[in-house]
Amino acid sequence: EDEEEGDGLEAWERAYADERSWESLQEDESGLLRSIDNQFLHHAQYRRRLRTAARIQKGLIRYLYIVVDLSRAAAEMDFRPSRMVVVAKHVEAFIREFFDQNPLSHIGLITIKDGVAQCLTDLGGSPDSHIKALMSKLECSGDSSLQNALELVHGYLNQIPSYGHREVLILYSALSTCDPGDIIETIQQCKKSKIRCSVVGLSAEIYICKYLCQETGGSYSVALDESHFKELLLEHAPPPPAIAEFAVANLIKMGFPQRAAEGVISICSCHKEAKAGGGYTCPRCKARVCELPTECRICGLTLVSSPHLARSYHHLFPITPFEEVSPLLNNPHKLPRTCFGCQQTLLHPGNKPGLRVACPKCKQHFCLDCDIYIHESLHNCPGCESLR
């Protein structure tokens, strides 16, 4: 039975084939093999991202279309169990992370299949509706057409107001594109409309994708494996730098709707059907909407809640990166023994001081895990907050 389940492989062979455990080894100075310290590597990558993130103006109101390639190339099994399944799983995580970091933004989904681009979901602020629509359409067939996808996206994003940042993220599995016309003209139209196009490839580097990203100011990268693909995808969650022409200050009219009473029955303007309880009432035209943030279908007013604005605040005033503390340059006996955040010990076995960082303002010491959590999720320093 085990052999039938594992396609004729022994149990020990399946473990190596699935886990690729040899990739977690490296050679030390003496020539011996030892396991890679993944926590240290993860923290080193995170510190590099902090150093390169300069204090620049960012676009907080984003309109992003995710283009998913569902051509026959997405059925390839170099990513287990297939490229399509891996992409769907990580797109779900990306959508939730995107709305967590960009509460005022909108996402739409487009698929490429049989040489045709199809709009799965319109721009909206509900992660569940996008994920449900994507999971119901996971079928691969035919060729991929990059030009058709770009023309469809251009038609939608060209109507976005000037204060919105227009973006496209293409998850491309194919090694070619089957287009009905001149794709260079389509790329120039996207460039003229200030649409930032980025591509994450799952096969190999393709010149037309690289050219598209260079012309429109996006980024192009090719995933080596599933973990690398996840990392490349999540890099697009934080707001990108604002385009210079759009970096001027704009006053945007917004409405803060009240939540409707639970027992009230009203017609929802989003789904055009009667619903009982919940929902929100537009302060201008009194129409009902199901979720926030959104744009009122009746009067066009942007509807948000005050927590959405508050959660966008940390991108404007990010926390200062913490400084690494070297035990060699400090008296080990004077260093704190526990992390100020989680209260876990900062000492290695034998009471030797381990890796730690310190806030430059309050001088409190934190472990590496708390450092990442504070800068990527909490967005407040516990030490500075306790001084207040």
Side-chain angles (χ1 to χ4, degrees):
E1 290 179 2
D2 289 343
E3 288 185 359
E4 290 177 5
E5 291 176 4
D7 298 327
L9 295 177
E10 297 289 345
W12 65 271
E13 292 178 305
R14 287 202 305 276
Y16 283 121
D18 293 340
E19 297 171 9
R20 303 171 69 89
S21 55
W22 59 86
E23 292 184 355
S24 62
L25 297 174
Q26 68 180 12
E27 191 174 346
D28 62 11
E29 299 81 4
S30 59
L32 299 175
L33 291 177
R34 60 183 178 85
S35 61
I36 297 174
D37 187 352
N38 289 322
Q39 182 194 23
F40 181 75
L41 283 179
H42 178 51
H43 189 258
Q45 292 173 352
Y46 152 76
R47 301 294 294 181
R48 282 199 298 273
R49 287 203 306 273
L50 276 186
R51 281 197 294 270
T52 55
R55 290 294 296 274
I56 52 179
Q57 188 168 344
K58 296 183 176 182
L60 298 183
I61 302 180
R62 304 167 65 187
Y63 294 86
L64 171 70
Y65 270 104
I66 302 176
V67 179
V68 181
D69 179 7
L70 292 181
S71 63
R72 69 171 70 93
E76 294 287 338
M77 298 175 64
D78 48 351
F79 288 72
R80 302 232 176 176
S82 70
R83 293 179 184 175
M84 178 185 69
V85 174
V86 169
V87 167
K89 180 175 77 171
H90 292 300
V91 165
E92 178 181 355
F94 171 79
I95 289 174
R96 297 193 186 281
E97 178 69 17
F98 178 89
F99 283 118
D100 187 55
Q101 296 206 35
N102 307 270
L104 300 178
S105 300
H106 296 75
I107 276 182
L109 289 179
I110 287 176
T111 58
I112 315 173
K113 188 194 301 184
D114 297 320
V116 178
Q118 179 185 5
C119 182
L120 271 189
T121 58
D122 293 325
L123 288 168
S126 169
D128 292 329
S129 62
H130 295 308
I131 292 166
K132 184 179 178 181
L134 177 63
M135 296 305 175
S136 64
K137 297 288 185 180
L138 289 181
E139 296 177 356
C140 306
S141 62
D143 296 316
S144 182
S145 176
L146 197 58
Q147 184 186 11
N148 284 338
L150 290 176
E151 287 186 345
L152 184 62
V153 167
H154 178 266
Y156 288 128
L157 290 181
N158 210 27
Q159 306 166 16
I160 297 301
S162 61
Y163 60 76
H165 290 259
R166 307 164 183 176
E167 299 174 56
V168 184
L169 176 57
I170 303 172
L171 309 178
Y172 207 66
S173 297
L175 280 170
S176 61
T177 173
C178 185
D179 300 322
D182 187 358
I183 190 173
I184 303 298
E185 288 184 11
T186 308
I187 292 174
Q188 293 305 317
Q189 288 177 1
C190 292
K191 181 180 179 181
K192 186 178 179 181
S193 298
K194 303 293 186 296
I195 299 175
R196 185 177 186 266
C197 303
S198 298
V199 180
V200 178
L202 284 93
S203 48
E205 185 174 296
I206 309 170
Y207 171 74
I208 194 64
C209 293
K210 189 175 182 179
Y211 176 79
L212 167 67
C213 298
Q214 287 175 344
E215 287 294 302
T216 59
S219 62
Y220 179 43
S221 46
V222 177
L224 302 175
D225 52 34
E226 184 176 346
S227 60
H228 188 221
F229 174 72
K230 179 184 178 183
E231 184 182 324
L232 293 175
L233 194 57
L234 291 178
E235 284 179 2
H236 295 276
I243 299 174
E245 296 173 34
F246 295 162
V248 293
N250 278 313
L251 290 175
I252 305 168
K253 189 172 287 189
M254 290 186 173
F256 295 87
Q258 292 184 338
R259 187 164 179 82
E262 291 300 324
V264 176
I265 297 177
S266 57
I267 296 177
C268 165
S269 62
C270 322
H271 302 91
K272 308 291 191 296
E273 58 186 32
K275 292 191 176 182
Y280 301 88
T281 305
C282 173
R284 179 190 280 171
C285 67
K286 308 304 179 186
R288 172 193 159 130
V289 295
C290 290
E291 58 219 1
L292 300 177
T294 188
E295 198 171 272
C296 180
R297 300 290 181 94
I298 307 300
C299 64
L301 183 65
T302 301
L303 303 176
V304 297
S305 65
S306 51
H308 289 144
L309 286 177
R311 279 163 52 198
S312 300
Y313 181 81
H314 64 259
H315 290 302
L316 301 177
F317 303 99
I319 302 178
T320 308
F322 291 171
E323 299 167 347
E324 294 186 13
V325 179
S326 173
L328 302 176
L329 302 178
N330 297 273
N331 187 348
H333 300 291
K334 293 183 178 180
L335 295 176
R337 291 174 170 268
T338 58
C339 167
F340 186 81
C342 62
Q343 300 299 310
Q344 297 292 320
T345 180
L346 292 172
L347 301 177
H348 286 318
N351 288 335
K352 295 181 180 178
L355 292 168
R356 63 180 71 200
V357 292
C359 173
K361 295 181 179 178
C362 66
K363 307 302 181 185
Q364 297 291 353
H365 288 216
F366 297 91
C367 64
L368 303 187
D369 287 335
C370 283
D371 183 19
I372 294 174
Y373 174 67
I374 288 169
H375 283 87
E376 294 192 347
S377 300
L378 192 61
H379 305 295
N380 286 294
C381 172
C384 296
E385 292 297 321
S386 64
L387 294 177
R388 295 179 185 178

